[in-house]
Amino acid sequence: MFAVVLVPHHTSTGDLVLPLVAALAAVAVAAYASVRRRLRAATRTTPGGMLPTVVPLDELDRRARRLLVETDDCVRTSREELGRAAEAFGDAAVRECAEAVEFAAVELAQAFRLRQRFDDGEGQARGLLEEVVERCEAAGRRLDAQAPEFDRIRALERTAGEALERAEARLREVAARVPEADRTLAGIRARYALSACLPVAGHDDQAKDRLLFATTVLHRARRALQDGATDDAVALLRAAEAATDQATVLVDGVVRLAADLTAAECLPTALTDMEAGLAEARGLLGTDTARAIAHAESVVARVREERNGEGPYDPVGALRRIEQVALGLDRALHRVARGSGALGRLEQAVLVARSTVGTAADHVTTHRGAVGWEARTRLAEAERRLRGAVNTAVPPVPAPADALADAREADALAREARRLAERDVRAYGTPYGEGLRTGGAVLGGILLAARRGPGGHGGPASFGGPATRGRRDGGELFRAAPAASGPRPGNTDPSPRRGSATPPPGP
């Protein structure tokens, strides 16, 4: 539409200059504001926040690393608290909270997968990191949104007495299992090689440390409840529950490893099958396969000697070595594993991978106050690959080669995750405590990272995302113990990858 302006004949040209300038200026301002709005919309990557695409790649990388650790901690804590609530009130009562945790876990798993692809040099770097950030933030928002409903359901302030009784009963139950775990661990050490025992080295002492902390804190919780300090009692109670849960993980780890080592005694079958494969390979002997056959024969001979000898040996490690030489023969002969023999190999490879992934997961869980993004990423990828292998290892379906590859890769990634986690823990140092035995609780991530200045730390984390997990930590109750001597180690990388830089301290 055009406006017709009637100008009196006596109006001079000079009289029109100022209105015209003003109109042009208004148009320019409006256009500039419109461009600004479009630019802001174009650079926003999440509905609730701003993340310009021009952010430097190393800064984006730091944020992605920090969010992976933070979100993983939130999901682990929320899942643990959800289990306690379900035990008290039933699965139906916590259905919506369980759905939120499942959503967050799926988003986190996808974020770890994207991070692994970035570390492997796959895909477009910026796009991968931006999606890591988006998925972690989406997971956190969902947990944060569900936190008030979880508090309403569990209502510890109203049910603290009953919850305290359950926690004390649970503590007694786990403590009663420790002597048997001690005997099991002693039996493993006496029967098997040192390499077989290493995955659970220290589990006995760490379980006792967590239980001692839980005992002390529950005693204080009962006194606080008697004195009418309900909020303090609740914070102390939740710390004790988390410590008891970690003691359970440590005790269960010893029992599970003993079962894995016993299951790996299927080694005679693995050796027989391998020797049959070698006999077949010798019939096709050529210059390309001679070296692989010689190496396989050497490994088989050493494994048989170790097994038949009087000294200790490592059944899980031996199965791993047998599968490695079988893989070498497959490659030398340009063949693909298939049929019943391949299914047997897959079952053995899955046994090895499941054992390695399980012990790595236990280590990360009970040391997550120190373990950083890299070990967690490798563990998540190992768990993903193991699921792929297990889903295929269902008779009578022949085992495809990619399932065997998944099992082998799961084992390798889990061993790498364990190595990185142990590196992080060594760099973290020993968190000493005064009064309360909080050292193991800090290392296990039971108590939140320092938020109250040097030498202090918070109390237990709650169900929820980054914005809500510290809402009821009662941190002043746990100030007796100073934090660890060094920075959170998982956030340093001695071998930075593409676009990487040392991130700030973890959450």
Side-chain angles (χ1 to χ4, degrees):
M1 179 182 293
F2 296 88
V4 179
V5 180
L6 300 178
V7 181
H9 71 279
H10 60 273
T11 302
S12 65
T13 304
D15 294 333
L16 296 176
V17 172
L18 289 177
L20 182 60
V21 169
L24 291 174
V27 171
V29 169
Y32 176 73
S34 177
V35 170
R36 286 286 302 275
R37 284 194 298 271
R38 287 199 300 272
L39 285 174
R40 285 198 300 268
T43 57
R44 182 177 293 128
T45 62
T46 63
M50 301 288 292
L51 184 60
T53 57
V54 295
V55 66
L57 192 62
D58 59 350
E59 183 178 334
L60 185 62
D61 189 20
R62 284 195 297 270
R63 183 170 186 179
R65 295 180 186 186
R66 178 182 60 80
L67 283 172
L68 283 171
V69 173
E70 184 178 72
T71 308
D72 190 41
D73 281 344
C74 290
V75 170
R76 289 176 184 274
T77 300
S78 296
R79 183 172 279 148
E80 290 161 358
E81 289 233 37
L82 180 68
R84 296 172 205 136
E87 182 182 356
F89 305 107
D91 292 337
V94 297
R95 181 178 55 82
E96 292 184 4
C97 296
E99 290 173 355
V101 172
E102 181 59 26
F103 172 86
V106 170
E107 290 294 298
L108 177 63
Q110 289 296 324
F112 274 128
R113 177 69 187 124
L114 292 161
R115 178 73 219 196
Q116 183 67 48
R117 289 181 57 200
F118 173 85
D119 291 343
D120 290 340
E122 301 176 6
Q124 199 273 333
R126 184 176 296 278
L128 291 172
L129 291 177
E130 286 177 348
E131 192 172 350
V132 169
V133 171
E134 290 171 10
R135 288 185 178 275
C136 287
E137 290 180 339
R141 286 194 302 271
R142 181 68 179 272
L143 291 174
D144 284 330
Q146 201 64 38
E149 175 65 9
F150 182 84
D151 288 346
R152 184 193 68 78
I153 293 170
R154 197 164 191 214
L156 276 177
E157 286 75 13
R158 295 199 309 270
T159 62
E162 298 172 8
L164 187 61
E165 294 290 342
R166 285 195 300 272
E168 289 173 337
R170 177 64 174 158
L171 176 63
R172 289 191 295 269
E173 175 188 329
V174 178
R177 296 180 59 201
V178 169
E180 180 59 31
D182 283 341
R183 288 190 291 272
T184 300
L185 187 54
I188 292 174
R189 288 170 176 155
R191 183 174 181 182
Y192 299 109
L194 178 61
S195 60
C197 309
L198 285 178
V200 294
H203 274 217
D204 47 351
D205 291 337
Q206 292 173 45
K208 293 168 186 174
D209 176 83
R210 301 297 196 278
L211 291 174
L212 179 57
F213 171 81
T215 301
T216 304
V217 171
L218 278 177
H219 180 67
R220 290 185 56 180
R222 183 164 290 284
R223 284 193 303 173
L225 196 61
Q226 292 170 349
D227 294 341
T230 305
D231 289 345
D232 289 353
V234 166
L236 292 161
L237 167 64
R238 290 172 51 250
E241 289 175 331
T244 304
D245 283 350
Q246 288 200 7
T248 304
V249 170
L250 293 161
V251 170
D252 286 346
V254 173
V255 175
R256 188 181 63 247
L257 179 63
D260 290 342
L261 291 168
T262 299
E265 297 287 355
C266 66
L267 187 57
T269 302
L271 282 170
T272 301
D273 292 343
M274 187 66 231
E275 288 169 340
L278 279 170
E280 178 186 352
R282 291 187 197 99
L284 304 172
L285 184 59
T287 55
D288 293 338
T289 61
R291 183 175 300 175
I293 291 174
H295 174 66
E297 289 175 335
S298 175
V299 171
V300 168
R302 285 198 301 270
V303 169
R304 188 171 288 283
E305 181 181 355
E306 290 171 5
R307 185 183 183 280
N308 295 335
E310 296 181 358
Y313 79 111
D314 179 357
V316 172
L319 276 181
R320 180 183 296 117
R321 290 154 61 194
I322 291 294
E323 174 54 31
Q324 287 171 346
V325 296
L327 174 63
L329 274 181
D330 289 344
R331 289 173 175 170
L333 297 173
H334 306 288
R335 67 186 181 188
V336 176
R338 62 186 72 212
S340 59
L343 183 58
R345 280 179 56 187
L346 177 57
E347 291 172 347
Q348 293 162 9
V350 166
L351 188 158
V352 172
R354 184 182 285 119
S355 180
T356 312
V357 171
T359 55
D362 290 349
H363 192 76
V364 171
T365 296
T366 56
H367 296 78
R368 64 180 183 254
V371 175
W373 65 275
E374 198 172 8
R376 297 176 194 236
T377 301
R378 303 298 173 266
L379 175 61
E381 182 67 5
E383 291 171 334
R384 187 186 75 85
R385 299 295 290 265
L386 178 59
R387 286 192 298 271
V390 169
N391 290 339
T392 311
V394 181
V397 178
D402 56 354
L404 265 173
D406 276 340
R408 288 190 296 262
E409 190 64 16
D411 176 55
L413 284 162
R415 284 186 287 144
E416 177 69 359
R418 178 63 181 260
R419 184 189 68 80
L420 292 167
E422 290 174 347
R423 177 203 67 184
D424 291 345
V425 172
R426 287 193 301 270
Y428 191 75
T430 303
Y432 295 100
E434 299 172 1
L436 284 173
R437 290 289 299 269
T438 55
V442 173
L443 189 62
I446 295 168
L447 302 182
L448 289 168
R451 303 194 312 158
R452 294 171 172 78
H457 51 70
S462 300
F463 178 106
T468 57
R469 68 190 309 256
R471 66 190 181 278
R472 306 168 61 204
D473 71 346
E476 296 298 330
L477 299 169
F478 302 91
R479 296 258 349 230
S485 56
R488 185 165 186 170
N491 302 317
T492 60
D493 186 357
S495 303
R497 299 179 184 268
R498 173 179 66 175
S500 65
T502 302

